[in-house]
Amino acid sequence: MLVKFALAVAAIVTFAMVTARPAVAADAPKGKYYELRIYTAAPGKLDALNARFRDHTINLFKKHGIENIGYWVAVDEKNVGKLFYVVAYPDKEARDKSWAAFGKDPEWIAAKTASEKDGKLVEKVEQVFMTSTDYSPIK
């Protein structure tokens, strides 16, 4: 009898372990979905890249529901020529929808084409998707 009981408990515990979701994922509050993007500018093109963001991109991001958080350029030798920026969305689905619309926007296509008449502005794009920690001042 004791063996049957132990086997039943073991089966229930095993089932619970296999089917349960981690408490952190299930109980985590919904926050913004952040994206860090790092653009390595083509040689001599960082100023043109900054101008494109300043004059076109940030307003087009707003138009398509992409929240501008901040933009930075590196001052250390290791990262000179890179543009770092963070944007935010309500969630991943909103991010995907916003980027798809942004990429097809005729105003964006025209601005990109005009800014690259003398060559590509960006050699490499890196991206990291993030959510805020519970102790972050930015939620």
Side-chain angles (χ1 to χ4, degrees):
M1 182 77 165
L2 186 56
V3 172
K4 286 183 182 181
F5 177 75
L7 288 173
V9 169
I12 291 169
V13 169
T14 301
F15 178 78
M17 289 173 61
V18 170
T19 60
R21 295 181 311 194
V24 172
D27 300 334
K30 279 262 191 195
K32 288 186 181 178
Y33 188 73
Y34 292 94
E35 182 176 4
L36 163 66
R37 293 179 70 95
I38 305 167
Y39 288 8
T40 302
K45 300 289 188 176
L46 184 59
D47 289 342
L49 180 60
N50 281 316
R52 183 169 76 192
F53 269 87
R54 182 183 313 106
D55 300 339
H56 303 284
T57 309
I58 61 170
N59 288 326
L60 288 167
F61 280 176
K62 287 179 198 174
K63 174 182 174 183
H64 292 287
I66 301 169
E67 182 182 352
N68 295 288
I69 302 297
Y71 294 81
W72 301 266
V73 291
V75 294
D76 63 318
E77 267 187 54
K78 177 182 165 193
N79 291 297
V80 166
K82 292 184 179 181
L83 171 66
F84 299 79
Y85 71 95
V86 176
V87 290
Y89 321 87
D91 52 40
K92 182 185 182 318
E93 293 75 24
R95 185 257 177 218
D96 294 345
K97 183 178 177 183
S98 292
W99 271 93
F102 168 76
K104 295 175 188 172
D105 188 307
E107 191 177 344
W108 162 243
I109 294 167
K112 184 177 188 299
T113 301
S115 68
E116 294 184 340
K117 68 183 182 308
D118 295 324
K120 286 178 48 173
L121 300 186
V122 178
E123 285 189 342
K124 180 180 177 185
V125 176
E126 300 170 74
Q127 59 194 131
V128 178
F129 298 101
M130 309 170 291
T131 57
S132 299
T133 60
D134 62 346
Y135 54 85
S136 177
I138 295 177
K139 300 291 181 198

